[in-house]
């Protein structure tokens, strides 16, 4: 259990059971991810999951981004006033 705490602290208390198990297996110890998870629960330590930042609000000013790439000129065929053609 001391090895789990050491790896956990060395990695800024971010690593969870899968990464700690891999680190311990690299050092030659035979331990499963599930066993590491059980020990972590007993010790009261948890992985710190950092949620990636997602931009949800966009600028509503599209005039600088939208361009008339077809070079179309839009003219009204005839004038309309109050829904009646003049």
């Amino acid at each position: 259990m001391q090895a789990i705490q050491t790896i956990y602290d060395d990695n800024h208390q971010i690593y969870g059971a899968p990464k700690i198990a891999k680190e311990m297996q690299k050092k030659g110890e035979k331990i499963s991810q599930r066993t590491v998870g059980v020990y972590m629960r007993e010790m009261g330590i948890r992985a710190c999951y950092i949620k990636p930042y997602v931009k949800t609000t966009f600028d509503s000013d599209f005039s600088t981004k939208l361009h008339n790439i077809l070079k179309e000129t839009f003219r009204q065929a005839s004038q309309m006033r109050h829904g009646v053609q003049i």
Side-chain angles (χ1 to χ4, degrees):
M1 290 216 276
Q2 183 61 33
I4 294 173
Q5 186 69 47
T6 303
I7 293 170
Y8 181 74
D9 291 335
D10 288 346
N11 292 292
H12 309 288
Q13 299 179 347
I14 293 175
Y15 276 16
K19 287 186 179 180
I20 291 175
K22 281 192 178 186
E23 288 290 322
M24 293 178 76
Q25 289 166 359
K26 284 181 190 176
K27 294 179 182 179
E29 295 186 41
K30 287 190 173 186
I31 192 164
S32 70
Q33 175 181 329
R34 181 177 164 86
T35 305
V36 172
V38 169
Y39 287 145
M40 287 178 70
R41 265 184 248 110
E42 286 177 6
M43 295 164 48
I45 58 177
R46 296 182 65 146
C48 178
Y49 176 72
I50 300 171
K51 190 173 181 180
Y53 176 75
V54 176
K55 185 175 179 182
T56 57
T57 305
F58 298 98
D59 187 20
S60 62
D61 181 26
F62 293 114
S63 62
T64 58
K65 297 178 186 174
L66 300 177
H67 302 285
N68 186 2
I69 58 173
L70 299 176
K71 306 295 184 212
E72 294 286 331
T73 54
F74 299 102
R75 285 184 257 151
Q76 199 169 6
S78 63
Q79 291 184 344
M80 301 220 16
R81 187 173 289 161
H82 304 291
V84 179
Q85 189 171 357
I86 298 175

